[in-house]
Structures are given as structure tokens and as C-alpha cells.
Amino acid sequence: MALDPQVIPLLAQLEEAGFPDPREASLEDLRAAAVFPPPEVPTPVAAVEELAVPGPAGTIPVRFYRPEGPGPHPLVLFFHGGGWVVGDLDSHDETVRRLCAGSGAAFASVAYRLAPEAPFPAPLEDCYAAVAWAAENGGGLGIDATRLAVAGDSAGGNLAAALCLLARERGGPMIAHQVLAYPVTGADFDTGSYRDHGEGLFLTRTMMQWFWDQYVPDPADRADPLAAPLAGDARDLPPATILTAEYDPLRDEGAAYARHLQAAGVSVSYRDFPGMIHGFLGMTGVLGQAEAAQAWLCDRLREALAC
């Protein structure tokens, strides 16, 4: 399918606004450029609370979103995208609000440490600490700790997938479901989707190579399944919901991970959104398919977690 007609003016706007070349810009400028203005009226949820969770290198900021209705609620731990380098709780606030309100699950958005200051596996260890804390302390938040899920987009999808591997390796916590939006699952920059869509469509091959250099500086370490989940043993992992975008350089590795899980006997719901680009999930109000994708994820979460 051709690019969705709504994407074309969006790409023009992104081109006009410009995004610093990560190879030349300072980290401060790069992170500032990744901040998009919030909507004038954020999607309402029952309550939002700022938490500080113990982590391996100090406290981890976590933003907790409570849905309407009586608890205990299932909990989804959300890990934001941004190449492990940019992004924060605010960059994905509206997306998390919409998923919380639409699914009926509580959400906890995790501000893990960022590379290059904290390279692999530091961000993953922060995410694991947050999930372990939630499993042990969720009762005080009105959470049903037997219904924990993890979710993330792009690099956050990488962390969510890797976390499932790590939790299996360490014997818990038990994760009931994983939601991966156009996840990074490997460091192969020569897939068909990288060749076809690696330039001019928001996320580029050059950007992803640079992000990998910050997160896992030693290429030899990129064979570790906790960095590249596609290299891991997928047996006994949680059921998964995976979405990709047709015009995303990460499309093929997301689709490959869906097949990888299915081949190991893991239940997978997979959907590729035609005409879409990387990052579209958070572009509600601009891209109609963003709302459709969020609605699909909410349906999957309700089904998986009995919300």
C-alpha cells in the first residue's frame, strides 16, 4: 500500500521542524527536540500519582495511572521509546493515558536510565526492578499482582521483550502478557524494511545505528538476547501482542519476532498497519490509524488481562 495520505503532510511538517543529526547534536539538544507539546486537554483517568521505586542505582521515577472503576486492577508496566537515549514520562503521557482509559488496566510508566550515560543492561535492570517492585507492592495501589503485563514502543518494546526473557531467567515475576509496538528486536541494519524504508520516513537507518552505538557500544554484546530478543530462546514466554508499521525500518524485525514467538509455541496476535511510519501510535489527532491501533491494543489488553 502507498503511504497513508495523512502521513504525507506530517512528514513535511517533521522535515520542516527538523530533528538534530544525533551524530552532531548535543544530548541536551537531542532530548529537547524529542519533546512534543501535550494536548490541551489530556485524556482523563481516575488518578495519576508520581512514585519513586527502588532501583539498582537509586530511585526510579514511575508515573502511576489508575483507571475508572473498582479495583483491584491489572497493571501494565510501560517503557517509553526513544532509542534508549531520548524520551521520558512526559513524551508518552498521552499515549499511556489513552491506553489506561481504553483498556481498564492500571498503567505504570517507568523512567528508566538512559544511554549513553547508562548503557546496556542498566535500562533493562531498571525496568526489571520496577516490575519486581510492582509484583511485591501492588496491593497497596489496588493492583492484582497476578495480572501483570509489560508494554513498550520501539526501544521500549525492546525492553519489554527483553524483560520477559530476564524474568523467565530469574524465576519471576510472572508476566501475563507483553505488548510490543514496532519493537527493536535485533541489530541487523540490512533487512528488507531497512533497505526499503531506512531514509526519509522519520526514523532512519543512520539514527538506529547511532542509537545502538549508545545503548550497546560493543557490537559483540548485541548478540546477547537481553539486548536483541530475536536471538533468544522464546519457549515459555508470555503471550504477546505485536504491531508494526508498513513504512518503518523496524517492520521486518517486529514481524520476525512474532514468527519467532509463534514457532516456540507462544500465542501471538500480530498486526501490521498499512501506510504507517515509525512512531505513529502516539500521533492521535493527526493519524486516524493511531486511534485504530490504540483501540486494538486496548481490546487485546482487556482480553488478555480480564479487565
Side-chain angles (χ1 to χ4, degrees), residues 2-293:
L3 273 171
D4 188 293
Q6 292 181 320
V7 169
I8 296 172
L10 173 63
L11 286 174
Q13 292 171 12
L14 291 171
E15 178 69 22
E16 183 178 353
F19 191 81
D21 185 333
R23 298 167 299 178
E24 300 174 359
S26 69
L27 282 174
E28 182 179 11
D29 289 344
L30 194 65
R31 287 168 178 163
V35 176
F36 297 97
E40 292 185 8
V41 181
T43 296
V45 295
V48 178
E49 184 177 354
E50 305 293 340
L51 305 176
V53 171
T59 57
I60 304 166
V62 171
R63 185 171 293 168
F64 177 70
Y65 301 78
R66 190 185 308 278
E68 299 289 349
H73 300 286
L75 177 66
V76 181
L77 281 292
F78 184 88
F79 314 120
H80 67 79
W84 308 283
V85 175
V86 303
D88 56 22
L89 300 181
D90 292 335
S91 66
H92 286 63
D93 179 74
E94 178 62 13
T95 296
V96 175
R97 284 173 172 273
R98 292 176 66 95
L99 293 176
C100 173
S103 69
F107 270 71
S109 188
V110 180
Y112 55 86
R113 287 172 288 165
L114 298 175
E117 299 94 333
F120 172 81
L124 178 60
E125 291 291 355
D126 283 359
C127 294
Y128 180 83
V131 173
W133 182 89
E136 294 179 4
N137 298 278
L141 295 171
I143 295 306
D144 179 357
T146 68
R147 293 186 288 161
L148 290 180
V150 294
D153 65 315
S154 193
N158 168 277
L159 293 169
L163 182 57
C164 292
L165 291 166
L166 187 59
R168 183 190 61 188
E169 178 182 302
R170 294 180 177 175
M174 295 299 296
I175 298 172
H177 201 76
Q178 54 182 319
V179 174
L180 314 176
Y182 30 79
V184 182
T185 64
D188 179 2
F189 306 111
D190 196 37
T191 63
S193 56
Y194 262 112
R195 292 193 300 271
D196 294 341
H197 309 308
E199 299 296 333
L201 294 166
F202 182 49
L203 180 67
T204 69
R205 175 192 282 112
T206 299
M207 291 170 65
M208 278 306 306
Q209 289 171 327
W210 185 86
F211 285 138
W212 269 104
D213 287 344
Q214 311 314 302
Y215 182 50
V216 189
D218 186 348
D221 291 338
R222 298 174 192 176
D224 188 330
L226 296 181
L230 192 54
D233 180 352
R235 288 176 293 182
D236 301 320
L237 290 178
T241 296
I242 301 176
L243 70 79
T244 55
E246 181 184 9
Y247 282 83
D248 183 353
L250 304 184
R251 182 200 63 206
D252 285 0
E253 62 196 79
Y257 198 61
R259 295 192 299 270
H260 181 62
L261 292 174
Q262 289 171 326
V266 177
S267 175
V268 177
S269 293
Y270 169 72
R271 186 171 171 184
D272 183 54
F273 281 79
M276 288 291 102
I277 59 172
H278 188 81
F280 82 96
L281 183 66
M283 298 177 184
T284 51
V286 179
L287 301 176
Q289 286 205 66
E291 296 188 13

Side-chain angles (χ1 to χ4, degrees), residues 286-299:
V286 179
L287 301 176
Q289 286 205 66
E291 296 188 13
Q294 290 184 5
W296 182 64
L297 294 183
C298 289
D299 288 344

